Amino acid sequence: MQFQISHKPSFSLLKLRLGPGQSIKSEAGAMVYMSSRMGVETKMGSGFLSALSRKIFGGESFFFNTYTAPETGGEIGLAPELPGDIIDLDLVGKSIFVQSGSYLASDPGIQVVSKFGGLRSLFGGEGLFLLEISGTGKVFLSSYGAIVPIRVEGNYTVDTGHIVAFENSLQFKVGKAGGNWKSTLLGGEGLVANFSGNGTLWIQSRVPSGFISWLTKLLPV
């Protein structure tokens, strides 16, 4: 599979060139364009209960689309719903946790399963479920704003709304941004995720809620 990510980091577009019979799995609704004779198959993701939890708690679609190139090969363009960045990751028998809405596409053999995040995830504003992505192959993640990788060795604090993904070697706890609840509530930062361990964390430079808040102030009463 050959790919190119253009127009980074604000309006990223994933362009894929598939060889004969090659496939790419994507979130439903991500296709921008594709060449003629490209096969399309729609499937429910990772079983009914997992698909249901992705829809209700993870903010994701029930379904994946798998695009398969004909004997002459083919091209396809994919993009996320919101303007922002796209990155590619190579998984080799390991797993990462991804926030709702950041999974874009992957090799067909990659598994995407909803995982219960506990109350820490609920209070962090990310919903009760995270997506666990595992297997061996290529994964494409998207964001609102630019994606920045951070190597965590020990402890690291991130605003919960800026989390895109993290390796399963990291643990996190949701806590106050400041030393007390007054600074947390009035300081504009809200709750934060305190990560510990060793691994890579990916964050987004913007959050949709910030844009919505700014836009709401401009609307007529």
Side-chain angles (χ1 to χ4, degrees):
M1 181 194 306
Q2 297 177 342
F3 72 92
Q4 177 189 6
I5 302 174
S6 60
H7 310 296
K8 288 172 65 69
S10 300
F11 299 96
S12 298
L13 174 67
L14 173 61
K15 305 175 183 179
L16 297 129
R17 175 68 186 178
L18 303 180
Q22 280 191 321
S23 299
I24 185 74
K25 179 171 67 176
S26 79
E27 179 73 3
M31 192 273 291
V32 179
Y33 66 86
M34 63 181 178
S35 57
S36 61
R37 300 176 60 203
M38 185 79 74
V40 183
E41 184 180 14
T42 301
K43 289 185 177 180
M44 188 177 292
S46 301
F48 177 76
L49 291 179
S50 177
L52 183 63
S53 65
R54 290 177 70 240
K55 178 62 178 178
I56 297 177
F57 300 107
E60 303 284 319
S61 169
F62 257 115
F63 303 100
F64 293 109
N65 288 333
T66 298
Y67 301 90
T68 303
E71 64 275 7
T72 55
E75 295 181 347
I76 185 170
L78 303 173
E81 196 172 50
L82 294 173
D85 207 354
I86 297 173
I87 62 169
D88 66 286
L89 301 177
D90 289 304
L91 296 187
V92 183
K94 64 179 181 180
S95 63
I96 59 174
F97 289 98
V98 178
Q99 72 145 345
S100 62
S102 284
Y103 170 81
L104 180 63
S106 66
D107 284 327
I110 293 293
Q111 299 297 313
V112 182
V113 180
S114 298
K115 289 292 183 180
F116 182 64
L119 293 180
R120 60 181 183 176
S121 181
L122 174 64
F123 293 129
E126 301 304 321
L128 280 172
F129 284 80
L130 297 168
L131 301 181
E132 183 179 20
I133 301 178
S134 60
T136 298
K138 184 74 72 176
V139 177
F140 298 95
L141 303 181
S142 63
S143 71
Y144 179 63
I147 296 179
V148 181
I150 296 175
R151 181 65 187 176
V152 177
E153 295 180 351
N155 299 286
Y156 218 91
T157 300
V158 178
D159 183 286
T160 56
H162 286 265
I163 299 169
V164 172
F166 55 93
E167 293 182 327
N168 65 351
S169 57
L170 294 175
Q171 297 81 43
F172 76 95
K173 294 181 179 179
V174 174
K176 302 186 296 292
N180 52 58
W181 283 109
K182 179 181 179 181
S183 59
T184 298
L185 296 175
L186 302 180
E189 297 302 330
L191 297 173
V192 296
N194 297 301
F195 283 89
S196 61
N198 293 278
T200 301
L201 162 71
W202 293 268
I203 64 171
Q204 58 188 8
S205 62
R206 299 290 187 272
V207 291
S209 59
F211 174 70
I212 293 172
S213 177
W214 174 83
L215 187 62
T216 301
K217 296 175 183 177
L218 303 180
L219 298 176
V221 178

